């Protein structure tokens, strides 16, 4: 028997509380690339009590990484991830973090940073990631190279290539990048690490199994617990004591599917059902309801990507 998605007892108080919190995050500039107009437009997509409850759940689950947070994650790459890896692999030419930073100021060739960019016509924020990385760490632009310059960097003495990316969801896009750039030819000539700001455990495992010569070190790791439809206590959706996870998924699919012209990625790429966004991009592993734009039929909350 098909169950009907219902609003739980006290849902209006819950929704009002979530909305108040969301407006506060926006007004205080914590959610710095979402404004109240975008929020209000997005809320007009939801007209019934059930859909309004669903929208509140999505807002409540949304993990948003602001410019300040992203820059902090990017500084961790410079201050922590790379120097530690250099020490572990004995490819360092510095005795302290100060020495390491001094080497960066003179553009020492030891390490080069390369944004991940694939040629498939899809939205990819490699240029934004590179620009923000340079700004966050106040480093010389020549430390960040394009993929086609990897061979030249190696010839000039580079020992470590650090691949920069915003998000690794399934890992398939990065594996396509590896294939397009024929990175296997450089195995043994240089060390590679892939450092997305956030990486799903699925991508970490897939890349590790497929490319043993590239170490993946996400700054933030996501797992099944970040799935919007993760089965919580006693199997209820978001622990609401009213709806099963399957009932909620069926309702979401029916609700959005009846509006969207294209039902692809309703649950995100690889059906990861995420609610995780950066200030400059929203990975397509997220619920499509967050970033989809369709004229007057559906207003987005978050931009899929910015240039």
């Amino acid at each position: 028997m098909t169950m009907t998605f219902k609003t739980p007892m006290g849902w209006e108080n819950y929704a009002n509380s979530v909305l108040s919190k969301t407006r506060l995050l926006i007004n205080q500039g914590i959610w710095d690339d979402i404004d109240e107009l975008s929020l209000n437009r997005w809320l007009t997509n939801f007209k019934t009590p059930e859909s309004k409850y669903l929208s509140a759940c999505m807002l409540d689950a949304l993990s948003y990484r602001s410019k300040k947070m992203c820059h902090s994650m990017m500084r961790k790459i410079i201050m922590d991830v790379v120097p530690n890896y250099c020490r572990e692999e004995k490819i360092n030419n510095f005795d302290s973090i100060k020495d390491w930073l001094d080497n960066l100021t003179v553009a020492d060739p030891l390490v080069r940073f390369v944004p991940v960019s694939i040629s498939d016509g899809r939205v990819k924020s490699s240029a934004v990631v590179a620009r923000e990385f340079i700004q966050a760490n106040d480093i010389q632009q020549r430390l960040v190279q394009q993929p086609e310059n990897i061979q030249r960097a190696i010839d000039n003495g580079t020992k470590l290539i650090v691949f920069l990316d915003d998000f690794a969801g399934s890992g398939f896009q990065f594996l396509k990048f590896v294939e397009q750039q024929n990175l296997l030819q450089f195995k043994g000539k240089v060390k590679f690490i892939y450092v997305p700001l956030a990486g799903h455990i699925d991508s970490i495992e897939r890349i590790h199994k497929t490319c043993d010569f590239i170490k993946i070190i996400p700054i933030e790791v996501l797992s099944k617990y970040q799935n919007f439809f993760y089965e919580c206590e006693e199997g209820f959706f978001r622990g609401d004591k009213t709806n099963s996870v399957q009932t909620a998924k069926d309702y979401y699919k029916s609700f959005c599917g009846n509006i969207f012209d294209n039902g692809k990625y309703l649950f995100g790429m690889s059906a990861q059902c995420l609610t995780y966004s950066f200030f400059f991009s929203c990975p397509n592993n997220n619920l499509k309801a967050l970033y989809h734009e369709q004229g007057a039929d559906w207003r987005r909350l978050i931009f899929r990507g910015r240039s």
Side-chain angles (χ1 to χ4, degrees), residues 74-289:
M74 290 172 174
R75 284 192 290 271
K76 183 177 174 65
I77 297 174
I78 287 283
M79 299 295 294
D80 184 4
V81 174
V82 174
N84 284 342
Y85 181 83
C86 286
R87 290 192 183 104
E88 290 172 7
E89 296 298 319
K90 295 180 170 49
I91 58 174
N92 61 297
N93 59 356
F94 54 91
D95 296 320
S96 66
I97 290 294
K98 183 181 182 303
D99 290 340
W100 157 245
L101 295 177
D102 288 343
N103 287 346
L104 289 180
T105 61
V106 296
D108 184 281
L110 182 73
V111 177
R112 287 295 180 265
F113 301 91
V114 175
V116 172
S117 177
I118 58 176
S119 54
D120 64 355
R122 296 180 182 176
V123 173
K124 195 60 187 171
S125 39
S126 58
V128 180
V129 171
R131 183 173 66 243
E132 295 294 336
F133 182 77
I134 291 170
Q135 182 182 346
N137 290 289
D138 192 23
I139 58 175
Q140 294 187 42
Q141 191 166 347
R142 62 177 172 165
L143 287 169
V144 179
Q145 297 287 323
Q146 293 305 310
E148 58 267 24
N149 294 329
I150 290 177
Q151 181 64 64
R152 183 189 303 170
I154 295 172
D155 293 342
N156 289 335
T158 294
K159 303 299 183 185
L160 174 63
I161 299 291
V162 181
F163 293 117
L164 303 173
D165 206 354
D166 55 349
F167 190 77
S170 64
F172 289 123
Q173 288 190 339
F174 180 72
L175 293 178
K176 187 170 185 176
F177 169 79
V178 171
E179 182 181 357
Q180 286 182 351
Q181 299 300 326
N182 190 21
L183 296 183
L184 187 58
Q185 67 177 308
F186 302 117
K187 184 177 180 178
K189 299 179 181 178
V190 68
K191 296 286 187 180
F192 289 125
I193 57 174
Y194 174 42
V195 191
L197 296 184
H200 196 282
I201 191 68
D202 291 350
S203 69
I204 298 172
E205 293 175 352
R206 182 168 287 113
I207 293 169
H208 177 70
K209 289 178 182 178
T210 309
C211 301
D212 61 354
F213 63 100
I214 301 176
K215 185 169 184 177
I216 176 169
I217 313 175
I219 300 302
E220 184 174 1
V221 177
L222 307 184
S223 69
K224 63 182 181 180
Y225 300 112
Q226 278 72 47
N227 186 316
F228 181 67
F229 295 104
Y230 175 71
E231 197 165 290
C232 297
E233 182 182 352
E234 299 176 8
F236 290 111
F237 167 65
R238 314 296 298 176
D240 69 3
K241 303 292 185 180
T242 302
N243 300 291
S244 70
V245 166
Q246 190 58 53
T247 298
K249 290 181 76 171
D250 290 344
Y251 176 76
Y252 170 81
K253 182 178 181 179
S254 174
F255 174 66
C256 293
N258 288 334
I259 300 173
F260 297 176
D261 289 338
N262 186 345
K264 190 177 183 181
Y265 298 147
L266 274 182
F267 294 97
M269 180 178 276
S270 300
Q272 289 181 335
C273 302
L274 298 179
T275 52
Y276 182 99
S277 181
F278 304 100
F279 77 96
F280 58 85
S281 71
C282 178
N284 64 354
N285 307 76
N286 280 280
L287 297 177
K288 194 171 184 176

Side-chain angles (χ1 to χ4, degrees), residues 62-74:
L62 180 59
S63 293
Y64 184 87
R65 300 295 175 254
S66 66
K67 186 181 181 90
K68 285 184 178 180
M69 295 174 76
C70 287
H71 279 202
S72 178
M73 297 164 87
M74 290 172 174

